[in-house]
Amino acid sequence: MEGSEIGGVLLIALVVFMIILLFRAIRIVPQQWNYVIERLGKYRRTLEPGPRLLIPMVDSVRARVDLRERVVSFPPQPVITSDNLVVSIDSVLYYVITNPTSAVYNIDDYLVGVEQLTTTTLRNVVGSMDLEKTLTSREEINSKLAVELDKATGKWGLKVTRVELRSIDPPPSIRDAMEKQMRAERDRRAAILTAEGAKSSEVLNAEGAQQSAVLRAKGDRDAEMLRAEGQAQAIQTVFTAIHKAKPTNRLLAYQYLQTLPQIASGDSNKLWVIPAELTKSLGALGDAFGNVKPENEEEEIDIDIDEIPSVTTNPSVQEALEAAKKTVGEVSEVLEEVNDERA
């Protein structure tokens, strides 16, 4: 009985051992992962994703390598620019492992190597720039870092896909000076914009006033032209009507004397000029009042000087009218002589 019990225990132990060996022999590699396999301490092969079979107690997994793109951020690094100013630069690195074997065997810790390489390359690139160019040349710095890191990490089985500078912090004194400069620049731009706005407003107001004056002048010109055309039409109508009526000299002379007081009216009239045609008009008026008859009739020509209207609005006008009456009297005397000769 004891021998059979010992044999059963050994059988159970053998079965358990075989199960353990079976589990150790089978490896399932996840997607986007590679396993580096060593056989008795020497590189044997690299397992790709899927179920794989190993020799238990002989083959071992040296490293599990993630093939996905990875992101690593490095702490801020002090960098001296070409104008001897210290800036703190915080960077982020994107990389992919393209050769797991090289990443495992060619470098002890590729992350530490990439960090140190990024720091030295960043100092070389930024050291050739001044502060202003460093702050405004992020894309240039990123591209240069990516190219240099990609060349250096190729033998490590890495591919640097992208490098980004998260922040570039100058010293506090430089930041204060930059803020003052930017504030002064904003104030200057605001003043320029205000001046340009005032200038545009003045120009628009001047253009508006000019256009308004031009339109007003055009309106006055058109109004004067229309008024002149209306007066011309009225004069033409009156002139046509007078000629159609065929007035006599007696009527015209009488109307002339009727109009003289209106011409002389007004307080500002200091001088009254009697036209030369007044003699002819008074002669026609004398014919009108003298009632001259044909040669066979013997009637005297008589002019009533008192019937000439008088104006008392101005002394000079009154004197002119008195002179006109005197002239009419002289004409009457001449007419009387004519009548005597006819008699």
Side-chain angles (χ1 to χ4, degrees):
M1 293 293 294
E2 293 180 357
S4 60
E5 291 178 357
I6 294 174
V9 171
L10 292 176
L11 181 61
I12 293 173
L14 181 61
V15 172
V16 172
F17 180 73
M18 293 299 294
I19 292 174
I20 293 174
L21 288 179
L22 182 62
F23 274 105
R24 291 179 62 88
I26 297 174
R27 289 288 187 271
I28 298 177
V29 182
Q31 183 67 33
Q32 292 296 327
W33 285 78
N34 280 173
Y35 288 179
V36 178
I37 304 300
E38 291 181 350
R39 179 171 291 181
L40 300 178
K42 183 179 180 180
Y43 172 74
R44 175 62 181 174
R45 59 177 176 165
T46 300
L47 298 182
E48 296 182 352
R52 296 290 183 267
L53 184 61
L54 302 178
I55 299 176
M57 308 299 295
V58 176
D59 294 339
S60 62
V61 178
R62 172 69 172 81
R64 295 175 175 84
V65 181
D66 188 358
L67 301 180
R68 294 173 296 179
E69 185 175 8
R70 303 177 68 179
V71 182
V72 57
S73 61
F74 302 126
Q77 300 293 329
V79 181
I80 301 176
T81 61
S82 61
D83 48 355
N84 297 326
L85 292 175
V86 179
V87 295
S88 179
I89 300 178
D90 187 5
S91 59
V92 179
L93 180 68
Y94 298 81
Y95 70 95
V96 177
I97 297 178
T98 59
N99 191 342
T101 304
S102 299
V104 173
Y105 292 105
N106 290 348
I107 187 170
D108 180 23
D109 190 347
Y110 58 84
L111 288 179
V112 176
V114 169
E115 180 180 0
Q116 296 301 321
L117 184 61
T118 301
T119 301
T120 55
T121 306
L122 185 62
R123 287 177 179 174
N124 291 333
V125 173
V126 176
S128 60
M129 302 179 179
D130 57 8
L131 178 61
E132 184 177 358
K133 188 175 181 180
T134 302
L135 296 175
T136 58
S137 303
R138 288 175 177 261
E139 293 297 331
E140 182 180 353
I141 297 174
N142 293 339
S143 61
K144 289 183 177 181
L145 284 176
V147 172
E148 295 296 329
L149 290 176
D150 188 50
K151 291 180 181 179
T153 58
K155 61 182 180 179
W156 298 343
L158 304 180
K159 173 68 175 177
V160 177
T161 59
R162 191 174 182 181
V163 180
E164 291 290 341
L165 302 182
R166 289 195 301 185
S167 62
I168 302 176
D169 299 327
S173 59
I174 301 299
R175 287 200 300 268
D176 294 339
M178 293 173 61
E179 290 178 359
K180 293 179 180 179
Q181 182 180 2
M182 294 181 64
R183 190 179 302 109
E185 181 67 19
R186 286 194 296 268
D187 295 339
R188 184 183 69 84
R189 291 180 180 178
I192 291 174
L193 292 176
T194 302
E196 289 180 352
K199 175 184 176 182
S200 300
S201 177
E202 293 294 335
V203 170
L204 292 176
N205 290 333
E207 290 179 353
Q210 179 185 8
Q211 294 178 2
S212 176
V214 170
L215 292 177
R216 190 179 298 108
K218 288 182 179 180
D220 295 340
R221 182 195 63 184
D222 294 340
E224 292 294 336
M225 292 177 63
L226 292 175
R227 191 177 299 109
E229 290 178 359
Q231 293 177 358
Q233 292 178 1
I235 293 172
Q236 184 66 31
T237 302
V238 173
F239 183 78
T240 304
I242 291 174
H243 277 273
K244 286 183 179 179
K246 297 180 180 180
T248 61
N249 291 332
R250 299 175 180 178
L251 178 60
L252 293 177
Y254 183 74
Q255 290 294 331
Y256 191 86
L257 290 177
Q258 290 285 340
T259 310
L260 287 178
Q262 298 179 4
I263 296 175
S265 62
D267 296 335
S268 61
N269 292 334
K270 303 299 181 181
L271 179 64
W272 188 35
V273 179
I274 300 175
E277 290 81 0
L278 180 60
T279 306
K280 295 181 180 180
S281 299
L282 292 176
L285 184 62
D287 294 339
F289 286 95
N291 194 14
V292 178
K293 297 295 182 179
E295 296 179 356
N296 297 329
E297 295 182 3
E298 298 180 355
E299 292 184 4
E300 295 182 354
I301 299 174
D302 187 14
I303 297 178
D304 190 359
I305 298 176
D306 295 332
E307 291 182 2
I308 299 176
S310 61
V311 179
T312 60
T313 58
N314 196 309
S316 60
V317 174
Q318 186 64 31
E319 293 177 358
L321 288 178
E322 294 294 336
K325 292 180 179 181
K326 182 178 180 180
T327 303
V328 173
E330 294 177 355
V331 173
S332 299
E333 293 178 358
V334 173
L335 292 178
E336 291 179 354
E337 294 179 357
V338 173
N339 290 331
D340 295 336
E341 292 178 356
R342 290 179 180 178

